[in-house]
Amino acid sequence: VIEYAIIEADHPLTATTVVVAEFRELFKETLGDQLLIVIPNRFTVYVFPKLASTIGDYQKRLMDLFRDAVYPASSEVFELTKEGFRGFASIRDQ
């Protein structure tokens, strides 16, 4: 069972890969048609399946990546579906 995927690179534009039209198609077969995305810093993108997601299990790790980043990106969880990209939730501690 694949719980999530990570995209990491040394390039600061790594976080912008989520807006490429083909991004969702890359994960459709393994993670499903509806994705949850966390971009804690410019160099890292976490991709979770929306259905049966374990994103809550990784909240602390994701928040630590955001807090410790030299170039933080977002503490938001984004949803990516065929309808588009939107804010969905937050990884911030409640």
Side-chain angles (χ1 to χ4, degrees):
V1 175
I2 299 172
E3 291 188 32
Y4 62 90
I6 302 173
I7 299 171
E8 289 182 297
D10 294 333
H11 200 285
L13 293 179
T14 303
T16 64
T17 61
V18 300
V19 297
V20 175
E22 296 84 6
F23 186 86
R24 190 173 59 87
E25 291 299 317
L26 292 173
F27 299 98
K28 188 175 182 177
E29 202 170 301
T30 55
L31 297 177
D33 206 23
Q34 300 176 346
L35 304 173
L36 297 178
I37 299 169
V38 179
I39 310 166
N41 58 58
R42 293 182 191 178
F43 307 96
T44 311
V45 177
Y46 278 77
V47 184
F48 294 85
K50 183 176 179 188
L51 301 176
S53 180
T54 59
I55 197 168
D57 297 343
Y58 299 95
Q59 181 179 357
K60 182 181 178 339
R61 178 190 301 175
L62 295 168
M63 198 60 220
D64 288 346
L65 287 170
F66 175 75
R67 281 192 195 118
D68 296 342
V70 173
Y71 300 106
S74 179
S75 63
E76 300 302 312
V77 177
F78 299 97
E79 178 185 43
L80 180 60
T81 65
K82 63 183 175 184
E83 284 80 33
F85 191 76
R86 71 178 185 101
F88 183 77
S90 176
I91 57 170
R92 288 198 180 271
D93 298 333
Q94 299 296 325

